[in-house]
Amino acid sequence: MAVIVALGAFLMTLAGGWTAQRVTDRRHLVLGLAGGLMLGVVGLDLLPEAMRAAGDELFGVPLALLLFVGGFLVAHVVERVLAVRQASHGAENGGRVPQVGLTAAAAMVGHSLADGVALGAAFQVGGGMGLAVALAVLTHDFADGFNTYTLTTLYGNDRGKALKMLFADAVAPVVGAASTLLFTLPEEPLGAYLGFFAGVLLYLAAAEILPEAHHEHPALSTLMCTLGGVAGIWLVVGVAD
């Protein structure tokens, strides 16, 4: 059952990427929506789940929060290092480094893989839990596909690379769900990963996507797309719970 639901997630991810590439004439709206979706996923989905699963504290701070900050800093350091390297070779792309986009998209693929694992584990617990997680995975994998394509192209990668990353993101939950037929992933490592990944996503949304969305089109419609993205994830989380 988990693998069947994961096949639905495969289609939803592709649908999200298809939507992102079809609205290129409204790029600022796409970026505004992507930023809102990412903020919603971080604050309302990933971080609460990481806090619940990771459990332990280190010097009085929950491990999930430490990894959250660590993910933010790692994303910042990686982008700065790649930007300096590109500048030293005289390459310019409006300040954007294509490798950062590919790395961010690869992180989205890793997140989708974890979604598949979580889906399989939920069905091992029971049908009710499995259906709740399935609803969350199916709906927010649309956002994952949307964000994967947007992140890849935002940093100057061509459409072919963006489509390859989108396809990898679509296949990932199927692979993750199928893997649970062979083993069960402990809860605490999964929670630690989610905390770290939430920090990476927050950096990309706050430092890259949203500023880019409002740079040339500081319109109310862009802001409404961002708020709509956050509200949409809130609705998904609420229904799934």
Side-chain angles (χ1 to χ4, degrees), residues 32-236:
L33 178 60
L37 290 172
M38 291 171 71
L39 287 175
V41 167
V42 168
L44 307 178
D45 186 14
L46 292 180
L47 200 52
E49 179 64 21
M51 291 286 291
R52 184 191 66 80
D56 295 337
E57 292 189 355
L58 187 60
F59 289 103
V61 179
L63 179 61
L65 288 182
L66 287 174
L67 289 169
F68 171 71
V69 174
F72 187 98
L73 292 175
V74 166
H76 177 60
V77 169
V78 167
E79 185 187 39
R80 290 297 88 205
V81 168
L82 290 175
V84 169
R85 180 178 299 176
Q86 176 171 295
S88 68
H89 288 81
E92 295 185 358
N93 183 37
R96 302 292 176 182
V97 184
Q99 292 90 336
V100 172
L102 293 176
T103 301
M108 295 297 296
V109 174
H111 170 55
S112 293
L113 183 66
D115 275 351
V117 172
L119 182 62
F123 274 102
Q124 289 177 1
V125 172
M129 174 68 72
L131 290 176
V133 173
L135 177 61
V137 169
L138 285 173
T139 48
H140 97 249
D141 269 7
F142 179 89
D144 284 351
F146 190 98
N147 289 335
T148 298
Y149 187 90
T150 301
L151 282 170
T152 307
T153 55
L154 175 64
Y155 285 86
N157 294 286
D158 60 33
R159 182 173 179 271
K161 289 182 180 179
L163 290 176
K164 288 178 182 178
M165 297 307 300
L166 175 63
F167 183 77
D169 189 46
V171 170
V174 180
V175 175
S179 71
T180 60
L181 301 175
L182 305 176
F183 68 91
T184 301
L185 183 68
E187 186 177 50
E188 289 191 4
L190 180 59
Y193 163 76
L194 292 177
F196 182 84
F197 181 61
V200 173
L201 278 190
L202 179 62
Y203 177 81
L204 293 172
E208 299 295 331
I209 290 183
L210 290 177
E212 179 73 10
H214 293 276
H215 176 61
E216 295 182 358
H217 297 275
L220 178 61
S221 57
T222 306
L223 177 60
M224 295 305 296
C225 283
T226 301
L227 295 177
V230 174
I233 296 298
W234 188 12
L235 178 63
V236 167

